[in-house]
């Protein structure tokens, strides 16, 4: 029974990862690039996270608070990074890095693949081991 759950959970996570991957690719294809500059560092519990000022092509300014923090600070005031944003929704800005664009797809896929392998292998190997188990049990009687 638990192998059915492994396989089902793996398939659901695999579908979710493909959905998130498609969302990320669609976002990248329909987005504009902009350069953001660190304007300040926010301190929270002794860790520092950068605050970016991102200038769009329309000369609008987006204030982006980076979700991760570190101690010592990983960014310095004045440093620049490339951002992607949806022209229809400029506040959807995301830092252009592999992790920030594909993180959920990667995490879901990393969990899905082992679950699918274990669940599927059980169904493929169970008929072979069932016959072997009968032979072994009959030989001891």
């Amino acid at each position: 029974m638990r192998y059915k759950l492994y396989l089902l959970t793996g398939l659901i996570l695999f579908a979710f990862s493909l959905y998130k991957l498609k969302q990320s690719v669609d976002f990248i294809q329909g987005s504009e690039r902009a350069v953001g500059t660190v304007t300040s560092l926010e301190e929270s519990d002794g860790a520092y996270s950068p605050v970016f000022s991102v200038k769009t092509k329309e000369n609008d300014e987006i204030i982006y608070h980076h979700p991760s923090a570190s101690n010592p600070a990983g960014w310095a005031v004045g440093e620049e990074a490339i951002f992607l944003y949806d022209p229809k929704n400029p506040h959807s800005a995301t830092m252009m890095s592999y992790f920030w664009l594909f993180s959920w797809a990667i995490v879901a896929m990393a969990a899905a693949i082992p679950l699918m392998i274990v669940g599927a292998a059980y169904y493929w190997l169970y008929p072979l081991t069932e016959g072997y188990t009968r032979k072994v049990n009959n030989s001891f009687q």
Side-chain angles (χ1 to χ4, degrees):
M1 175 64 183
R2 68 178 168 201
Y3 296 105
K4 290 179 186 178
L5 290 175
Y6 289 172
L7 184 59
L8 181 63
T9 304
L11 290 172
I12 289 170
L13 283 172
F14 186 74
F16 175 74
S17 70
L18 291 178
Y19 171 74
K20 294 304 283 182
L21 179 65
K22 182 173 179 355
Q23 271 188 332
S24 295
V25 169
D26 289 346
F27 174 73
I28 292 168
Q29 288 176 342
S31 64
E32 297 286 335
R33 288 184 185 207
V35 176
T37 306
V38 177
T39 57
S40 65
L41 298 172
E42 290 181 335
E43 182 183 0
S44 176
D45 296 329
Y48 300 93
S49 62
V51 178
F52 289 89
S53 173
V54 182
K55 293 284 187 187
T56 66
K57 287 186 177 180
E58 296 80 24
N59 268 345
D60 293 333
E61 182 181 21
I62 302 168
I63 303 299
Y64 178 83
H65 298 266
H66 200 285
S68 68
S70 63
N71 186 7
W75 293 87
V77 174
E79 283 190 80
E80 294 181 340
I82 298 174
F83 286 82
L84 297 174
Y85 69 95
D86 183 359
K88 298 172 195 155
N89 181 14
H91 293 287
S92 66
T94 302
M95 186 179 289
M96 193 171 127
S97 73
Y98 190 77
F99 178 78
W100 293 111
L101 292 171
F102 298 106
S103 59
W104 283 110
I106 293 168
V107 169
M109 187 70 71
I113 290 174
L115 289 171
M116 289 190 315
I117 290 171
V118 169
Y122 176 77
Y123 283 108
W124 288 331
L125 296 176
Y126 183 74
L128 299 174
T129 60
E130 185 177 286
Y132 178 75
T133 305
R134 283 187 195 150
K135 281 184 183 178
V136 170
N137 287 340
N138 288 337
S139 67
F140 284 119
Q141 293 177 359

